[in-house]
Amino acid sequence: MENCRNRSCWFVGVLQSFNGSGELLESVPELFRQARKCAVNNERFSFVCLRKFLKSLIRKQPRDLLLVIGTGVSAAVAPGIPALCSWRSCIEAVLGAAEQLEVLHPGDVAEFRKKVMKERDLLVVAHDLIRKMSPRTGDTKPNFFQDCLMEVFDNLEQHIQNPVVLQSILRLMERGTMVLTTNYDNLLEIFGQQQGKPMESLDLKDKDKVLQWARGHIKYGVLHIHGLYTDPCGMVLDPSGYKDVTQDPEVMEVLQNLYRTKSFLFLGCGETLRDQIFQALFLYTVKNKVDLEHYMLVLKENEDHFFKLQADMLLHGIKVVSYGDCFQQFPEYVQDLTAQICKEKSPDADQVDSTTLLGTSCVDCAKRKLGESGTDSPKRVKQSDMPTLE
């Protein structure tokens, strides 16, 4: 009976892939691929074969997108490095390295491990850990935290097991998509260099580079808003560490203009909107966010939580989309989504206004409003207004 249901679902999928003239649509190869995979894995071939993507997303031009990369991307690419999976895993790995290198008192190691288990705000724990391993002068240079990170992230290039997501990101970058990340690792840059791309890691300390990147002049630049593990002294865990940046009107205006005129696509991000640095750079002074159109790919483990999150995020101009009910579906979803966004268009497609494809998008509205009214006046968003992404 189960085999009959498998065949029926597959057959229905094929039938629905015919158009009125009896010609197969482009989704048929995908149907066969999914069916073959299900047959090999003895799994049921269900709705996955008829996966739908939001038209408002797949009809975006790559140059209109800005990818925000979170720990989920690193976890998918290099599952063999636990420190890349989450903030909690990263702190635990650093504590393990500190214990092995004997650069932190055993009593302190035990105390921090308790905090990792109990404390909800892990950014605070990480900040305290860095301070504990730094000089008592209050300066973070030099520090043992750097040595622990180098130990944890040693030989990253040897741990790239599943580059599907990175390949998709590079494909979008080739077509003008910008990329920023909250991650400390440089897996994307390493992989891109292996593919012959002139990748460049940027951080917020270099104003000139940030301005060039934000204006689209560094095609293969990846902005690390928290810093990079290869330069731990520049790592930042709260907005005060970047007060020179957040108090610079030129830098802040060009960054926030991206949030008003680009569609941010959050990949592998869990609590990015609760991240204080992200808030300080993109949210605090951007008003009328409900008029914007951003996207977030999430794991749908619980339906009630998922649909509540959808409703909450719409208030911030973010459309939450499920990539599946298990993390293993994430790389393939990103790959298929990228293929839809980058699919070949007619030669004059670049001259066609997006409104001719799907009406007037929210981002287009925001661009016009920005042009009509000028720069938005600053208005802070209260921390209490931010949704819970747990």
Side-chain angles (χ1 to χ4, degrees), residues 79-366:
I81 303 181
L84 296 177
C85 296
S86 66
W87 257 111
R88 192 180 305 278
S89 298
C90 183
I91 296 174
E92 289 173 344
V94 168
L95 287 172
E99 188 173 38
Q100 293 177 349
L101 296 173
E102 296 184 320
V103 296
L104 197 61
H105 190 280
D108 292 327
V109 172
E111 187 62 29
F112 274 109
R113 281 183 172 148
K114 290 180 181 178
K115 290 182 178 181
V116 170
M117 295 299 295
K118 297 179 181 180
E119 181 66 47
R120 182 178 179 182
D121 193 344
L122 295 177
L123 289 175
V124 173
V125 178
H127 183 267
D128 292 344
L129 180 59
I130 291 177
R131 289 298 180 188
K132 191 71 176 180
M133 302 173 77
S134 301
R136 295 178 182 177
T137 58
D139 190 358
T140 57
K141 304 177 185 180
N143 62 65
F144 284 123
F145 187 71
Q146 174 178 0
D147 297 282
C148 291
L149 275 181
M150 298 296 284
E151 185 74 18
V152 168
F153 290 148
D154 189 35
N155 298 320
L156 275 180
E157 65 279 358
Q158 298 179 12
H159 295 275
I160 298 179
Q161 298 181 24
N162 185 12
V164 171
V165 178
L166 299 183
Q167 290 169 340
S168 298
I169 294 172
L170 283 180
R171 186 177 179 186
L172 288 169
M173 293 182 78
E174 288 174 353
R175 291 161 173 78
T177 299
M178 300 174 68
V179 176
L180 72 81
T181 181
T182 57
N183 297 342
Y184 289 142
D185 66 83
N186 58 345
L187 280 169
L188 175 58
E189 292 94 307
I190 290 173
F191 180 75
Q193 289 170 354
Q194 292 174 348
Q195 307 305 306
K197 307 299 183 185
M199 307 299 293
E200 189 170 353
S201 300
L202 313 171
D203 62 49
L204 292 173
K205 294 180 301 180
D206 191 332
K207 176 179 176 178
D208 291 338
K209 286 287 187 179
V210 171
L211 292 176
Q212 290 180 45
W213 172 85
R215 290 165 179 160
H217 301 320
I218 305 180
K219 183 175 182 179
Y220 291 101
V222 180
L223 180 62
H224 292 257
I225 64 173
H226 287 169
L228 192 62
Y229 86 96
T230 53
D231 182 20
C233 294
M235 293 169 57
V236 178
L237 295 173
D238 58 72
S240 63
Y242 275 135
K243 60 183 179 181
D244 291 339
V245 174
T246 56
Q247 293 177 6
D248 187 315
E250 184 180 15
V251 173
M252 292 302 289
E253 174 57 27
V254 75
L255 290 176
Q256 287 153 9
N257 189 54
L258 289 174
Y259 201 73
R260 290 188 289 259
T261 59
K262 297 280 186 181
S263 281
F264 280 43
L265 176 56
F266 297 86
L267 301 179
C269 298
E271 300 187 0
T272 299
L273 293 190
R274 292 175 58 184
D275 179 271
Q276 293 181 352
I277 296 177
F278 187 88
Q279 290 176 354
L281 295 175
F282 297 102
L283 297 182
Y284 282 159
T285 62
V286 178
K287 62 179 182 179
N288 299 324
K289 288 184 288 295
V290 72
D291 292 332
L292 305 180
E293 190 171 49
H294 304 302
Y295 302 87
M296 179 179 288
L297 302 187
V298 303
L299 174 68
K300 186 176 72 174
E301 293 181 293
N302 178 281
E303 285 194 343
D304 291 339
H305 171 75
F306 172 74
F307 289 111
K308 182 181 184 303
L309 181 62
Q310 272 192 336
D312 291 342
M313 290 292 96
L314 280 177
L315 296 175
H316 297 274
I318 298 173
K319 295 179 177 179
V320 172
V321 181
S322 166
Y323 61 77
D325 55 11
C326 68
F327 182 64
Q328 287 69 28
Q329 294 173 304
F330 175 65
E332 186 176 354
Y333 186 95
V334 174
Q335 183 182 48
D336 293 345
L337 176 62
T338 300
Q340 288 292 318
I341 295 173
C342 295
K343 63 185 178 183
E344 293 297 327
K345 296 180 175 64
S346 60
D348 59 344
D350 288 342
Q351 278 72 49
V352 179
D353 187 89
S354 61
T355 58
T356 64
L357 296 175
L358 193 66
T360 302
S361 72
C362 296
V363 172
D364 290 334
C365 292

